Amino acid sequence: MADSFAPEFGQSMGGIFNYTSKSGANAIHGSLYEYFANDKLNATLPFLDGQKPRVHQNDFGGSFGGPVWIPKIYNGHDKTFFFFNYEMYRNPGNTIGGNQTVPTVANRNGDFSALLTGAQVKDSNGNPVFDSLDRPVMYGAIYAPATIRVVNGQTVSDPFPDNYINPNRFDTVGANMLKFLPLPKTDAPNANYPDNFPSNKFTWIPSIKVDHQVSKKIHLAGFLSWEQVDKDNGGDGLPDPISTRRYQIIKSNTFRFNADYVVTPTLVIHAGVGFQYYHNPDQTPFQTFNSATELGLPGALMDGFPQIQGLNVNGQNVGLNQNIIGAYSDNLFVQRKPTAIASISWIKGSHDFKFGGEWRKEWFFNGSKLPALGYYNFSSNETTDPWLFGKDLGGAPIGNSFASMLLGQVDYERMGDVVNPWWVRANGAMYAQDSWKITHRLTVNYGVRYDMQQKQYELNHWTISMDPTLANPSAGGLPGAAIFEGNGAGRCNCSFEHYYPYAFGPRLGGIYQLNEKTVLHGAAGVFFANMPDFSYVAAQYGLGYGWNTSSYEIG
């Protein structure tokens, strides 16, 4: 249903998908199917020297249904039926993305002479640039942080001779990082490492439906589906543990039970309950990496490779996913959602009335330990002459972020806490509608729906915000302090969200048949959208502020 749907349906500003699962019957019936794709049937891609991404995709399955019959025990003909379906999707793929850049052998040994072109930097007007000591600023120069000093009131530093950093000046963490960065596959300064990585995806979806006719008036039906998806995600071609890849095993189960009672031939009562369960470990596969022992980098609250961002080699970023190496995601998502519906359908003359309601409650767990692994950003600022900050360099590169890492010069670092929130909310609705067939050509549909969308909250009221007027005891009583939602000690005795009680949505539509070939449709109504999905909600709502957060400035 794309638009102007009846009051029975709501909490959507777009389309609604209405699914009906197939039932068994007295006759046994079934089917088999297969859809496949294979790279042997594909053309090669441009610029890849005849290489083709591996594609061995199969989507196959079968269904089988009929009466429930247990010899000498139970005969379900005309009474009890089953329908079973099994689908499996297999795509053991491999992504070929060309080449990416990793540090050259010379870079790993502190030799950045290839960045020097021998040209002096010129400003945007074409004028040669000199530093505060009247020395020419050379294109691609890297400056030694250890030489920073104040001369005549100006903060300056000296460039490394020939852009060479003696490895004995490497920081311990920087030197240890080299153990995990792969060697280049070619001698090229850029695009020297293949961007190839597995992109496997396997899905299993078995489901079964059982129908039972208790009597001519009572019908029961149950449905169960359990889905599992195993897949690679976030591949970048780099080796573990610095790869941003994850291997996810996602499970999703759905259960439904429905009952129909035919009171009279014109009056039917329907009721149903259901439950959905979702489990998604979107986590780095290396959960036991110890930064303190492997890198000499203490301070992490959890095991796992830290998140490193900003590395640049020979003008190219290292790390395909937002210039990041290491942990890209370390989350666990769990959702539990019970649901219930009820309706009464009543045909009276030319009217088709329907009254009903729906209810569902959602619990969504969005745990993340990514902040507790540590985040470290490197830039060229730390290996640039401080006096040059803000000067017109005509866009010339000075300093190098990879060199900054080797020297242990962090531009920005952050250590946060582990977040384990359970988000909760409940939704409901009531409606009344009628489809009135005024004449054989004209049908008018009208009704009203009331949506009840309760505020969402964190189960333990860990949600945090900032009150700009509240005195902060940690800042000498200055205004601006953190507050926690909820009531009681340490809480603000307030709520960050509020329930909207006036969500009444009237609907009016009509269908008129001009002739055998032409039918006119028209409708109008008030619709209220559903609240945003809980997907990746921890990134959108505060659960505390990062601590031990530091930015470093030179000069």
Side-chain angles (χ1 to χ4, degrees):
M1 292 176 287
D3 55 23
S4 302
F5 27 82
E8 178 182 0
F9 306 100
Q11 298 188 10
S12 174
M13 298 298 288
I16 290 179
F17 289 93
N18 200 3
Y19 293 95
T20 300
S21 55
K22 196 171 183 179
S23 299
N26 274 329
I28 295 176
H29 55 89
S31 63
L32 297 173
Y33 56 88
E34 156 77 334
Y35 169 80
F36 80 98
N38 194 288
D39 56 76
K40 303 298 184 184
L41 306 176
N42 298 341
T44 58
L45 298 176
F47 313 115
L48 290 180
D49 297 327
Q51 297 184 78
K52 292 190 292 186
R54 184 176 185 269
V55 179
H56 286 181
Q57 176 180 309
N58 294 87
D59 189 352
F60 60 93
S63 62
F64 179 71
V68 175
W69 180 66
I70 304 175
K72 300 182 180 181
I73 297 177
Y74 184 77
N75 186 351
H77 281 81
D78 298 322
K79 185 181 294 185
T80 308
F81 311 95
F82 76 94
F83 189 85
F84 175 79
N85 183 77
Y86 181 85
E87 179 180 0
M88 185 172 186
Y89 174 88
R90 293 179 52 84
N91 188 4
N94 182 58
T95 298
I96 300 175
N99 292 297
Q100 59 182 309
T101 298
V102 298
T104 65
V105 174
N107 296 155
R108 297 167 66 95
N109 290 305
D111 183 359
F112 294 86
S113 59
L115 298 178
L116 295 173
T117 65
Q120 185 176 354
V121 173
K122 295 182 180 180
D123 62 22
S124 56
N125 295 318
N127 300 313
V129 177
F130 296 85
D131 65 14
S132 63
L133 301 180
D134 205 32
R135 299 174 299 186
V137 177
M138 305 305 293
Y139 191 97
I142 297 175
Y143 287 75
T147 65
I148 292 178
R149 61 198 184 278
V150 177
V151 178
N152 298 326
Q154 303 291 333
T155 303
V156 298
S157 63
D158 299 329
F160 284 104
D162 298 321
N163 261 14
Y164 175 71
I165 305 172
N166 194 309
N168 63 20
R169 302 181 68 170
F170 287 179
D171 176 74
T172 300
V173 176
N176 287 334
M177 280 289 296
L178 294 177
K179 302 176 185 177
F180 301 98
L181 286 165
L183 290 167
K185 297 296 184 179
T186 71
D187 295 331
N190 295 321
N192 51 22
Y193 192 82
D195 174 21
N196 300 341
F197 51 88
S199 52
N200 300 304
K201 184 176 181 180
F202 307 97
T203 303
W204 298 265
I205 314 177
S207 66
I208 187 169
K209 182 181 181 183
V210 176
D211 294 84
H212 180 64
Q213 195 73 34
V214 179
S215 66
K216 291 182 178 180
K217 290 192 172 186
I218 301 176
H219 176 264
L220 305 178
F223 174 82
L224 177 63
S225 171
W226 53 103
E227 176 183 1
Q228 179 171 317
V229 179
D230 296 6
K231 67 174 185 176
D232 291 294
N233 192 6
D236 55 6
L238 294 175
D240 295 323
I242 68 168
S243 174
T244 58
R245 78 172 185 93
R246 290 95 69 200
Y247 191 78
Q248 297 172 257
I249 301 178
I250 305 170
K251 297 180 180 181
S252 180
N253 302 331
T254 301
F255 167 76
R256 294 291 304 172
F257 178 77
N258 295 305
D260 293 282
Y261 177 49
V262 181
V263 182
T264 71
T266 60
L267 182 63
V268 178
I269 298 175
H270 173 80
V273 296
F275 185 79
Q276 291 178 302
Y277 175 78
Y278 174 79
H279 183 275
N280 178 6
D282 188 6
Q283 299 170 328
T284 173
F286 275 78
Q287 298 288 314
T288 59
F289 186 89
N290 190 303
S291 295
T293 58
E294 299 286 349
L295 295 176
L297 182 63
L301 302 180
M302 301 292 291
D303 284 343
F305 200 91
Q307 189 174 92
I308 309 295
Q309 188 171 27
L311 298 184
N312 185 283
V313 174
N314 300 315
Q316 298 294 318
N317 291 336
V318 178
L320 297 178
N321 289 325
Q322 300 182 26
N323 194 199
I324 291 174
I325 63 172
Y328 185 81
S329 176
D330 210 324
N331 301 311
L332 173 61
F333 305 104
V334 178
Q335 185 175 41
R336 300 169 182 166
K337 183 192 294 187
T339 62
I341 59 171
S343 66
I344 297 176
S345 299
W346 179 36
I347 297 176
K348 180 69 172 177
S350 59
H351 295 269
D352 185 354
F353 298 104
K354 192 169 187 178
F355 311 91
E358 62 184 65
W359 170 89
R360 63 181 178 271
K361 190 166 185 177
E362 297 177 73
W363 286 268
F364 189 87
F365 177 76
N366 193 167
S368 176
K369 73 173 189 178
L370 184 63
L373 301 179
Y375 168 84
Y376 303 90
N377 181 275
F378 294 92
S379 81
S380 59
N381 291 339
E382 283 62 40
T383 46
T384 297
D385 183 353
W387 187 84
L388 296 175
F389 290 160
K391 301 298 189 298
D392 181 3
L393 302 179
I398 302 295
N400 181 269
S401 60
F402 181 68
S404 297
M405 187 209 73
L406 292 177
L407 296 168
Q409 299 293 313
V410 182
D411 185 69
Y412 175 85
E413 63 182 14
R414 178 178 66 244
M415 183 67 66
D417 49 7
V418 177
V419 294
N420 294 305
W422 273 103
W423 297 98
V424 184
R425 70 182 177 200
N427 297 338
M430 298 182 295
Y431 64 88
Q433 65 189 48
D434 177 27
S435 180
W436 181 16
K437 192 173 182 62
I438 300 176
T439 71
H440 73 283
R441 290 180 178 271
L442 176 63
T443 300
V444 175
N445 303 305
Y446 62 95
V448 64
R449 178 185 177 92
Y450 178 60
D451 286 300
M452 300 169 287
Q453 301 195 64
Q454 299 293 328
K455 64 182 181 181
Q456 58 193 21
Y457 60 94
E458 202 285 319
L459 186 62
N460 299 297
H461 296 290
W462 286 344
T463 314
I464 193 172
S465 185
M466 196 273 287
D467 186 342
T469 64
L470 183 66
N472 191 335
S474 300
L478 293 174
I483 57 174
F484 284 86
E485 186 178 31
N487 299 302
R491 309 291 177 178
C492 65
N493 296 317
C494 66
S495 175
F496 296 157
E497 291 193 13
H498 301 282
Y499 167 59
Y500 181 68
Y502 309 112
F504 290 94
R507 313 281 176 84
L508 177 63
I511 302 174
Y512 183 73
Q513 183 179 9
L514 288 176
N515 52 53
E516 294 181 354
K517 297 182 178 180
T518 306
V519 177
L520 301 179
H521 297 259
V526 176
F527 301 85
F528 292 89
N530 191 19
M531 290 186 291
D533 290 337
F534 274 139
S535 178
Y536 292 79
V537 72
Q540 305 170 31
Y541 295 90
L543 293 170
Y545 296 106
W547 50 279
N548 284 354
T549 300
S550 302
S551 295
Y552 301 92
E553 296 183 0
I554 304 297

